[in-house]
Amino acid sequence: MRTNNELLRAEHPVDPHMRDQILEHLRSIERTHDVRVLFACESGSRGWGFASPDSDYDVRFVYVHRLSWYLSVHPGRDVIELPISGDLDINGWDLRKALGLIQQSNPTLVEWLRSPIQYLAHEDTCARLEALAAGHFSATKGWHHYLSMARKNYRGYLKGDEVRFKKYLYVLRPLMAARWIASNAGIPPMRFATLAQQVLSPVTDADLIKDINALLEVKMRSSEAASSPPWRGLNAFIDQELGAAVQAPERDPETSSVEELDAFLMAAVLDFEACQKHEKPRTTMD
């Protein structure tokens, strides 16, 4: 749905019954693995704002173990994955792994933290994690990450006689993110409409915006496998944008200290230990 203040369509449909299922799976994970889920979000097309009627629910979460798990000589597995079942794809990362990726300025985790669909969240924890991610964000690494993603997806998906609608968005979104970073705007938002309407001009990019809205409309009412011949205007924009992206921004994070990440990990683990008998209330969020 598009409001008067938005140039581009965006929808984030979450069926209430599916939300209940997701929360039950997360609580089961906590019981089964003796962990605390710190936050859980939607990471796929629903979070980006252009889900198809048959899109999966791509649930991603970060969790913390008990103190004893971190004191083992042999590190344990730092990922929890549930078998894909129907429309549900649920997996998560241990907090130590997540913090290591924050130190490396990994864009994936930053996107999770900024997802417009949050299923479960310790709000103070999420705010601190997002602040840590912002403090360790490297514009150079982020720009290269998104540009490389756009180039790879363009070569892999948009060169045939038939193109799946969603694959265009898998190129357009990282291109917009790279442009966002190059304009010194910091970490790009996850939501595609927010991202694109900030880097596109309603005057000079009017035709492109019209094409993108047409793409979004057909994508959001078609199956994930739906396709069409290539869109000439979109291909022209992608070619131009990739050709112009030759110089990475040279802005690295002001701090790369690991001490604050260590302190956060310790605080989260000790808090979980202290709350073993009396869990703090969690907040479920849209």
Side-chain angles (χ1 to χ4, degrees):
M1 182 179 297
R2 183 170 38 156
T3 70
N4 292 334
N5 295 323
E6 291 183 320
L7 301 174
L8 294 165
R9 292 176 55 87
E11 293 181 7
H12 305 273
V14 177
D15 182 270
H17 176 66
M18 291 300 294
R19 179 182 290 277
D20 290 342
Q21 282 193 47
I22 289 166
L23 289 173
E24 182 52 43
H25 278 298
L26 293 171
R27 290 167 183 140
S28 176
I29 286 169
E30 290 185 319
R31 294 189 299 268
T32 302
H33 297 273
D34 193 21
V35 298
R36 171 190 280 179
V37 175
L38 299 177
F39 79 91
C41 69
E42 185 68 30
S43 72
S45 58
R46 294 177 193 277
W48 294 325
F50 47 74
S52 297
D54 60 345
S55 290
D56 290 342
Y57 286 81
D58 297 305
V59 182
R60 301 295 179 263
F61 62 95
V62 170
Y63 60 91
V64 63
H65 278 280
R66 300 286 180 190
L67 177 62
S68 59
W69 188 88
Y70 298 98
L71 300 179
S72 173
V73 172
H74 300 289
R77 190 166 187 264
D78 55 9
V79 176
I80 295 176
E81 297 172 302
L82 297 188
I84 296 176
S85 175
D87 294 334
L88 280 176
D89 179 359
I90 305 177
N91 65 73
W93 294 343
D94 168 66
L95 179 59
R96 183 166 58 188
K97 176 184 179 72
L99 291 171
L101 292 171
I102 282 178
Q103 186 188 24
Q104 298 168 24
S105 189
N106 180 276
T108 300
L109 181 61
V110 177
E111 289 188 5
W112 292 3
L113 289 165
R114 294 190 166 205
S115 172
I117 301 176
Q118 298 282 337
Y119 294 112
L120 187 153
H122 291 267
E123 295 186 41
D124 292 343
T125 298
C126 289
R128 182 59 180 149
L129 277 172
E130 189 167 349
L132 288 170
H136 289 261
F137 178 71
S138 165
T140 304
K141 289 182 179 179
W143 186 86
H144 279 294
H145 168 84
Y146 285 112
L147 192 63
S148 175
M149 181 187 299
R151 284 176 173 152
K152 178 181 178 181
N153 289 340
Y154 189 35
R155 290 193 303 265
Y157 302 124
L158 303 187
K159 293 295 188 179
D161 295 331
E162 283 284 319
V163 177
R164 293 170 70 180
F165 298 129
K166 74 175 186 177
K167 299 303 184 183
Y168 266 113
L169 293 162
Y170 289 1
V171 176
L172 290 169
R173 185 176 172 277
L175 276 181
M176 302 295 178
R179 183 186 279 199
W180 174 286
I181 293 170
S183 67
N184 199 23
I187 299 172
M190 180 180 180
R191 189 172 184 263
F192 177 71
T194 303
L195 171 62
Q197 68 190 27
Q198 292 297 319
V199 299
L200 298 177
S201 165
V203 178
T204 58
D205 297 312
D207 289 341
L208 175 61
I209 291 171
K210 183 178 179 180
D211 282 346
I212 293 176
N213 266 324
L215 175 69
L216 289 168
E217 182 174 359
V218 70
K219 199 277 182 187
M220 288 190 279
R221 61 179 171 80
S222 305
S223 72
E224 284 285 286
S227 64
S228 75
W231 295 42
R232 188 173 302 174
L234 294 180
N235 279 39
F237 167 76
I238 293 169
D239 284 329
Q240 178 181 342
E241 196 75 1
L242 288 175
V246 294
Q247 182 63 46
E250 296 182 359
R251 296 187 303 277
D252 286 323
E254 296 181 2
T255 175
S256 59
S257 171
V258 73
E259 284 80 7
E260 59 185 345
L261 301 175
D262 287 341
F264 181 84
L265 175 62
M266 182 178 294
V269 173
L270 294 179
D271 184 61
F272 186 25
E273 286 289 301
C275 296
Q276 184 170 4
K277 293 184 179 179
H278 304 286
E279 280 285 337
K280 290 182 178 180
R282 295 168 300 180
T283 303
T284 58
M285 305 174 66
D286 290 332

